Amino acid sequence: FRTIFRWVVIKYTMGRWDGYDYLRAKHFKMSECEKAIFVLYPMSKGDQTGKGKICTLATRKHISNPVALTLLYFKLFGMEMDGRDESRINCALRYTKAGLVPKADQGLSYNEGCKQAKKLLEEMGFSSKGYGESSAKRAGVTESLEGGATVEQIQLVGGWKTPGMPLYYAQMNEKFK
């Protein structure tokens, strides 16, 4: 579930592993209408001002509804969207008699995250060949283009300085090669 949650957040925010890895529960905030969640990436590669990047996870009528998955993730891992919870979103897990529990202060390494993602893909009957942690971002860019978003809109969400970057991620996707 943790891997799927990571894919969904990165897909819909067009984030990077390093930005996702820095996220804490306090960086998530429910909108007043409770149909969206705001995510503040306090650090991102293209953040020239050091103010971070705010992205919106909107409710979708889809199995990968990012709002529903975020609420479930927070509930399962005992996290709060109170602006103070320092629990790591990308946390490591430990085994206990009660099952897996998050190590709220310890992050999941990039290598372990990739290894677990590839294992999950194989278990689901998909090839993990060519998988990388930018795969979710590529899927987000591709889905946005197919849904009618402009390159400029995608550029804004992804935080890219040039319109070439969204097109680069789309071209890496099989549908746009």
Side-chain angles (χ1 to χ4, degrees), residues 2-3 28 33 76 81-82 88 124 137 140 147 156 173:
R2 181 181 49 171
T3 298
F28 287 70
C33 68
L76 288 173
M81 287 188 215
D82 60 6
R88 289 181 75 117
M124 294 171 56
K137 183 175 7 182
L156 182 64
N173 189 300

Side-chain angles (χ1 to χ4, degrees), residues 1 3-4 7 95 114-129:
F1 179 66
T3 298
I4 292 170
W7 286 341
Y95 291 95
C114 284
K115 183 174 106 179
Q116 291 176 8
K118 288 179 178 184
K119 180 181 175 191
L120 179 61
L121 285 169
E122 297 289 339
E123 287 174 358
M124 294 171 56
F126 297 99
S127 171
S128 63
K129 184 179 179 189

